[in-house]
């Protein structure tokens, strides 16, 4: 009898435990459901997926709709809207709870992974395709270099987004603009290759995806500054102060005023006759410190130096000082015809930030029949060239990316001889057309802006556009134009400049049919000279024959390259705005 009662008691206890075990999760789920119901009833917010211990299909549907709805709002204005929405809903959990900097950072981090994966694939192509030409090998090497630069630029964007994105807005936009340009430059290296399609199929799709992700990041970034998606809106550009970009410190300004024979002002001296520290510039460049926090100055005495130089990213705050235009010359003759990519054909390449040069001639003497042959390529942010000359024929000066300033410089060339996708301002400089090959035309500029949100373009203020001495006797044999649109959103303005009679009345030349004619931005403002009459200019939708004061002011040192932030430290004289009040800090 006692035994039977024990058994009955054990059975009852076991059932009770099972009931309690069932009741606890059931009660929890019931309370959670009631809580969610109340949440919807009494608030305007919606729950994230993390609220659900075991999400039902209904809950997943709600979450998915919320993600898509939020992504649609954030991606408004993006050129690649569907990609933007798909990316954000996939990589950013609980999108509605994230800040805009968080969202952009997530997108860029994914893009960094894509760039690294593409770089890995590109470096493996040489094993997959063993019979590559030297041009193709060099183009692949260019891509590797450009991918490394892209990763570095995108990382700096993520860092700045985590600090104060509103204050860093111009820097963020500049880095994203450069990162996008790098992908296009990679592909351009294969344009002269017979196996272009065969090679680029391995990574063309990936580059397209990277470019579009960066474009979408630029569109998202614009919301941080509270600007619209106006293709030509520059109200996000800071201005003010007394003229020079702020990136030129007082010490740098003084350096630009020193006479070249004041050797005590220099860290190293290069002289062909052995009277300096080194006889070649390359040796001095190698001896210069990496990542210098202060200006490091190399004085290059008069002479012709036949060298190919690269100021790599690590060489920051470097300055070359020569004895003057035509006295200190750096010369080379690499060209596309001889197996070099345009990107790698430059006699001098500058990538390290805050580079400065004064009193030097940079030359590529390959000749007009060798086609693309660059004298200098700059991808140096906050770079300054003062009283320098750039001498070549086709593609003389490659203003590749980032922010650049040129003052009292001379540029000589034939086809597209100032080109690239930097944000660049020229002041008080001279542009001279040389005599091209018989079937060629002279085109002064070919700007490479690919996206309406890139803060890039060529601004020419108080300059001279004329025929060089060798062209003058044969000027009527060749047509000359101010520019042509290299890329879809090509942007160039010419303001308060002298335009000679060599310029065709139409002013500008098509690149290929109606390509970019409605999306480009070309403008002129208060120019003078026989070639400045705009009455017979092209009638393209994107061309503005007469900029108003407000439009023109957006392309000044103050507004276009944030000059007040960096030029004051260089001691280079400059105009801050359209008033031409010369700024020279003592």
């Amino acid at each position: 009898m006692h035994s039977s009662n024990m058994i009955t008691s054990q059975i009852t206890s076991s059932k009770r435990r099972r009931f309690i075990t069932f009741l606890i999760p059931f009660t929890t789920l019931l309370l959670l459901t009631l809580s969610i119901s109340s949440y919807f009833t009494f608030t305007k917010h919606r729950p994230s997926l993390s609220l659900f211990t075991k999400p039902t299909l209904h809950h997943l549907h709600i979450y998915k709709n919320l993600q898509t709805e939020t992504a649609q709002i954030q991606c408004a204005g993006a050129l690649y809207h569907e990609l933007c929405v798909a990316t954000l809903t996939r990589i950013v959990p609980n999108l509605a709870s994230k800040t805009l900097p968080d969202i952009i950072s997530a997108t860029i981090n994914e893009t960094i992974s894509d760039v690294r994966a593409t770089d890995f694939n590109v470096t493996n192509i040489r094993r997959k395709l063993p019979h590559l030409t030297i041009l193709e090998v060099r183009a692949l090497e260019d891509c590797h270099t450009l991918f490394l630069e892209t990763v570095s630029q995108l990382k700096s964007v993520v860092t700045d987004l985590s600090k104060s994105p509103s204050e860093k807005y111009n820097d963020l936009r500049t880095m994203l603009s450069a990162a996008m340009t790098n992908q296009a430059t990679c592909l351009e290296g294969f344009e002269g290759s017979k196996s272009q399609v065969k090679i680029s199929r391995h990574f063309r799709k990936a580059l397209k995806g990277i470019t579009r992700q960066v474009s979408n990041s630029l569109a998202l970034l614009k919301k941080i500054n509270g600007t619209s998606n106006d293709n030509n809106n520059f109200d996000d550009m800071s201005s003010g102060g007394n003229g020079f970009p702020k990136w030129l410190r007082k010490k740098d300004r003084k350096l630009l005023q020193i006479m070249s024979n004041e050797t005590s002002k220099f860290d190293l001296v290069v002289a062909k006759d052995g009277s300096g520290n080194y006889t070649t510039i390359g040796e001095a460049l190698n001896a210069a410190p990496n990542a210098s926090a202060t200006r490091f100055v190399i004085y290059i005495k008069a002479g012709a130096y036949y060298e190919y130089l690269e100021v790599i990213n690590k060489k920051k705050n470097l300055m070359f000082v020569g004895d003057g235009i035509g006295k200190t010359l750096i010369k080379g003759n690499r060209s596309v015809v001889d197996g070099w990519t345009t990107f790698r054909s430059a006699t001098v390449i500058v990538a390290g930030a805050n580079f400065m040069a004064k009193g030097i001639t940079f030359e590529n003497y390959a000749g007009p029949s060798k086609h693309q042959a660059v004298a200098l390529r700059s991808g140096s942010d906050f770079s300054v060239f003062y009283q320098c000359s750039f001498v070549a024929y086709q593609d003389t000066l490659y203003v590749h990316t980032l922010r650049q300033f040129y003052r009292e410089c001379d540029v000589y060339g034939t086809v597209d001889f100032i080109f690239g996708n930097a944000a660049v301002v020229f002041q008080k400089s001279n542009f001279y057309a040389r005599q091209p090959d018989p079937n060629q035309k002279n085109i002064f500029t070919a700007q490479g802006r690919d996206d309406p949100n890139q803060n890039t373009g060529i601004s020419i203020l108080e300059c001279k556009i004329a025929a060089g001495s060798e062209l003058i006797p044969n000027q009527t044999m060749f047509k000359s134009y101010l520019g042509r649109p290299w890329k879809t959103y090509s942007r160039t303005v010419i303001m308060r400049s002298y335009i000679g009679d060599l310029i065709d009345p139409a002013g500008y030349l098509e690149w290929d049919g109606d390509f970019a004619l409605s999306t480009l931005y070309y403008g002129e403002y208060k120019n003078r000279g026989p070639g400045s009459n705009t009455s017979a200019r092209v009638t393209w939708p994107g061309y503005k024959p007469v900029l108003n004061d407000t439009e023109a002011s957006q392309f000044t040192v103050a507004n276009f390259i944030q000059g007040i932030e960096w030029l004051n430290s260089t001691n280079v004289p400059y105009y801050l705005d359209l008033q031409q009040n010369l700024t020279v800090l003592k």
Side-chain angles (χ1 to χ4, degrees):
M1 191 69 185
H2 178 72
S3 173
S4 175
N5 287 338
M6 284 183 60
I7 293 170
T8 302
S9 176
Q10 288 172 358
I11 292 171
T12 302
S13 177
S14 175
K15 287 180 178 180
R16 188 181 296 112
R17 282 196 303 270
R18 286 199 300 271
F19 176 77
I20 291 171
T21 303
F22 167 78
L23 183 62
I24 290 172
F26 177 81
T27 304
T28 302
L29 183 59
L30 180 62
L31 290 171
L32 183 58
T33 304
L34 289 172
S35 175
I36 291 167
S37 177
S38 297
Y39 191 81
F40 277 109
T41 304
F42 297 108
T43 75
K44 293 181 180 180
H45 302 290
R46 296 182 182 179
S48 65
L49 186 62
S50 60
L51 288 174
F52 302 102
T53 305
K54 294 183 179 180
T56 65
L57 290 176
H58 175 64
H59 297 141
L60 288 172
H61 181 68
I62 292 172
Y63 172 75
K64 185 177 179 181
N65 284 348
L66 178 58
Q67 285 282 93
T68 303
E69 181 182 318
T70 306
Q72 292 280 1
I73 294 169
Q74 294 289 6
C75 293
L79 288 187
Y80 308 101
H81 187 266
E82 290 184 9
L83 173 64
C84 181
V85 171
T87 301
L88 295 191
T89 55
R90 176 173 56 83
I91 69 171
V92 186
N94 304 322
L95 188 55
S97 66
K98 297 295 191 294
T99 66
L100 190 52
D102 289 340
I103 293 169
I104 300 172
S105 292
T107 304
I108 293 173
N109 280 325
E110 167 126 322
T111 308
I112 290 172
S113 297
D114 292 342
V115 174
R116 284 173 169 158
T118 306
D119 185 28
F120 179 80
N121 290 336
V122 165
T123 53
N124 283 333
I125 287 175
R126 292 179 65 175
R127 290 186 308 199
K128 296 177 182 176
L129 303 172
H131 303 297
L132 297 173
T133 66
I134 187 64
L135 174 64
E136 291 160 353
V137 170
R138 286 169 175 161
L140 290 172
E141 291 172 350
D142 287 352
C143 288
H144 175 63
T145 298
L146 289 159
F147 294 151
L148 293 179
E149 287 183 6
T150 298
V151 169
S152 176
Q153 288 157 354
L154 294 179
K155 279 184 171 182
S156 74
V157 170
V158 173
T159 299
D160 285 346
L161 282 168
S162 68
K163 296 176 181 176
S164 46
S166 294
E167 293 179 8
K168 292 284 190 177
Y169 177 74
N170 290 313
D171 294 337
L172 292 165
R173 200 174 175 202
T174 296
M175 291 301 156
L176 288 174
S177 296
M180 184 185 299
T181 300
N182 291 341
Q183 314 316 305
T185 305
C186 168
L187 283 178
E188 287 156 10
F190 298 94
E191 287 179 355
S193 164
K194 294 180 180 179
S195 306
Q196 177 183 356
V197 176
K198 182 180 179 182
I199 296 171
S200 63
R201 67 179 179 159
H202 292 273
F203 55 90
R204 182 178 290 272
K205 184 177 180 181
L207 289 186
K208 185 177 180 181
I210 292 166
T211 299
R212 291 184 171 186
Q213 291 285 31
V214 177
S215 172
N216 287 339
S217 296
L218 270 168
L220 290 167
L221 178 67
K222 208 162 188 180
K223 298 175 189 293
I224 286 179
N225 202 49
T227 58
S228 68
N229 196 35
D230 182 357
N231 288 359
N232 302 307
N233 181 14
F234 287 88
D235 58 9
D236 53 343
M237 300 289 190
S238 61
S239 64
N242 58 357
F244 272 84
K246 285 181 182 174
W247 29 281
L248 277 180
R249 298 182 292 269
K250 274 190 177 181
K251 288 182 179 179
D252 290 336
R253 291 197 300 274
K254 290 178 180 177
L255 281 171
L256 286 165
Q257 290 181 334
I258 64 176
M259 300 298 290
S260 56
N261 59 6
E262 295 180 42
T263 55
S264 61
K265 302 286 186 180
F266 307 116
D267 296 289
L268 292 175
V269 177
V270 178
K272 293 178 72 70
D273 62 6
S275 61
N277 303 101
Y278 298 98
T279 56
T280 68
I281 307 168
E283 290 174 303
L285 183 57
N286 290 334
N290 293 334
S292 176
T294 57
R295 182 65 62 187
F296 190 90
V297 185
I298 299 175
Y299 168 41
I300 308 166
K301 287 188 176 183
Y305 297 82
Y306 291 83
E307 301 183 51
Y308 296 100
L309 305 172
E310 182 171 4
V311 181
I312 59 175
N313 276 308
K314 291 180 180 179
K315 303 287 184 180
K316 302 181 189 301
N317 286 308
L318 196 64
M319 181 180 184
F320 288 173
V321 176
D323 278 327
I325 290 174
K327 295 179 180 179
T328 298
L329 305 94
I330 308 174
K331 300 164 70 78
N333 66 346
R334 290 175 176 172
S335 69
V336 168
V337 170
D338 289 335
W340 296 90
T341 62
T342 302
F343 185 73
R344 194 57 59 178
S345 69
T347 302
V348 176
I349 297 167
V350 181
N354 297 95
F355 177 83
M356 293 170 60
K358 178 188 177 184
I360 296 175
T361 291
F362 301 89
E363 183 176 353
N364 189 315
Y365 59 90
S369 62
K370 292 299 181 79
H371 301 295
Q372 296 94 330
V374 176
L376 180 134
R377 164 167 62 84
S378 177
S380 165
D381 202 17
F382 302 136
S383 52
V384 177
F385 297 85
Y386 181 46
Q387 296 177 349
C388 291
S389 69
F390 308 88
V391 182
Y393 288 89
Q394 183 170 346
D395 291 3
T396 302
L397 179 56
Y398 195 172
V399 288
H400 184 238
T401 53
L402 306 172
R403 289 162 285 195
Q404 306 178 27
F405 179 70
Y406 295 74
R407 174 84 186 191
E408 298 173 33
C409 290
D410 299 332
V411 189
Y412 297 83
T414 54
V415 180
D416 304 334
F417 63 93
I418 302 168
F419 75 110
N421 195 28
V424 55
V425 174
F426 293 89
Q427 285 184 0
K428 282 289 181 182
S429 295
N430 302 308
F431 306 128
Y432 296 113
R434 305 180 76 179
Q435 183 162 317
D437 271 354
N439 296 322
Q440 291 181 331
K441 301 176 179 68
N442 285 320
I443 302 112
F444 281 76
T445 66
Q447 206 281 323
R449 186 166 167 254
D450 254 330
D451 189 281
N453 290 318
Q454 288 180 306
N455 62 345
T456 54
I458 296 173
S459 173
I460 296 170
L461 176 64
E462 271 294 321
C463 293
K464 178 182 178 182
I465 296 171
S469 58
E470 65 187 276
L471 178 63
I472 290 174
N474 303 309
Q475 183 175 308
T476 57
M477 297 171 56
F478 303 94
K479 287 195 171 186
S480 296
Y481 298 89
L482 295 171
R484 59 174 179 162
W486 182 26
K487 298 296 175 69
T488 307
Y489 293 92
S490 181
R491 180 160 61 186
T492 301
V493 295
I494 302 169
M495 306 183 293
R496 294 187 182 275
S497 294
Y498 173 87
I499 301 177
D501 61 0
L502 77 164
I503 296 299
D504 188 271
Y508 303 87
L509 184 67
E510 298 86 352
W511 185 271
D512 183 14
D514 61 358
F515 168 75
L517 302 188
S518 60
T519 50
L520 60 78
Y521 186 99
Y522 285 172
E524 297 181 52
Y525 177 81
K526 296 185 178 180
N527 295 312
R528 59 195 183 278
S532 64
N533 189 332
T534 60
S535 61
R537 288 285 196 258
V538 294
T539 57
W540 304 340
Y543 170 63
K544 294 179 178 289
V546 181
L547 296 173
N548 61 41
D549 291 350
T550 301
E551 290 169 328
S553 68
Q554 304 308 317
F555 296 94
T556 60
V557 160
N559 292 337
F560 195 50
I561 56 172
Q562 299 82 57
I564 193 62
E565 298 178 9
W566 57 280
L567 272 176
N568 281 343
S569 63
T570 63
N571 216 24
V572 176
Y574 65 92
Y575 299 134
L576 177 67
D577 48 34
L578 295 172
Q579 303 309 311
Q580 300 178 38
N581 295 320
L582 192 63
T583 299
V584 185
L585 299 184
K586 302 299 183 184

